[in-house]
Amino acid sequence: MQFKITEKQMTFENEYYVTQMIINSKGEGHDRGESRLRCAVAITLCVKDAQKKLNLRANIYWDTKYPKSHIFFTGGSLVNFIRDQGYNYNDFKECWGKVKRLASNVFTDDEILEYQKKMLVNS
């Protein structure tokens, strides 16, 4: 999988799919009442063979208690979209797992450290 990242976007590409995440904003956020470091992204998923696109919005959260990122979507179903293109969703999940892991790189080490310091002061 090819992965490119800039301050404004991330692009993930393999032989079947291209996923582009445009970074809309970063900062503090909340998920289920818990404070999190948050990044709002607009996602475009493209199936190369079909040239069909799915547009989603998502929040990527960095969890300070359990250091990992979580992606939460609005605006569409990945399962339905992949199946509608004639692909097996279980095969796609392997690719999507890599995208989710790489997406955590949206937060720089400095951003994570500053946020962790702030959470320690507030607790």
Side-chain angles (χ1 to χ4, degrees):
M1 175 171 294
Q2 294 180 347
F3 172 59
K4 298 175 191 167
I5 186 170
T6 68
E7 285 186 35
K8 298 292 179 190
Q9 81 177 43
M10 295 180 285
T11 304
F12 313 87
E13 184 173 356
N14 70 10
E15 60 271 19
Y16 304 108
Y17 313 103
V18 176
T19 304
Q20 183 180 49
M21 294 186 185
I22 303 296
I23 299 167
N24 294 323
S25 65
K26 283 185 181 181
E28 290 183 46
H30 290 84
D31 175 42
R32 298 183 183 128
E34 296 284 327
S35 294
R36 305 270 197 267
L37 187 58
R38 175 184 167 272
C39 177
V41 294
I43 300 173
T44 302
L45 171 63
C46 178
V47 176
K48 288 182 174 181
D49 288 349
Q51 291 299 309
K52 301 276 183 161
K53 294 181 180 182
L54 174 65
N55 294 308
L56 301 165
R57 296 220 175 267
N59 289 312
I60 302 170
Y61 292 103
W62 179 264
D63 187 329
T64 57
K65 291 182 184 177
Y66 308 100
K68 63 179 183 177
S69 65
H70 309 273
I71 300 178
F72 296 97
F73 300 104
T74 60
S77 168
L78 285 174
V79 176
N80 292 342
F81 177 73
I82 294 302
R83 287 183 181 156
D84 289 348
Q85 307 316 309
Y87 286 87
N88 182 323
Y89 183 73
N90 287 329
D91 294 338
F92 172 76
K93 280 181 11 180
E94 182 180 329
C95 168
W96 191 247
K98 292 175 185 177
V99 168
K100 290 191 306 186
R101 282 191 299 282
L102 289 168
S104 66
N105 289 298
V106 72
F107 301 112
T108 66
D109 290 342
D110 289 339
E111 288 170 330
I112 292 169
L113 288 172
E114 285 300 313
Y115 188 70
Q116 288 174 329
K117 286 179 191 175
K118 185 174 184 176
M119 291 293 101
L120 286 174
V121 169
N122 290 340
S123 58

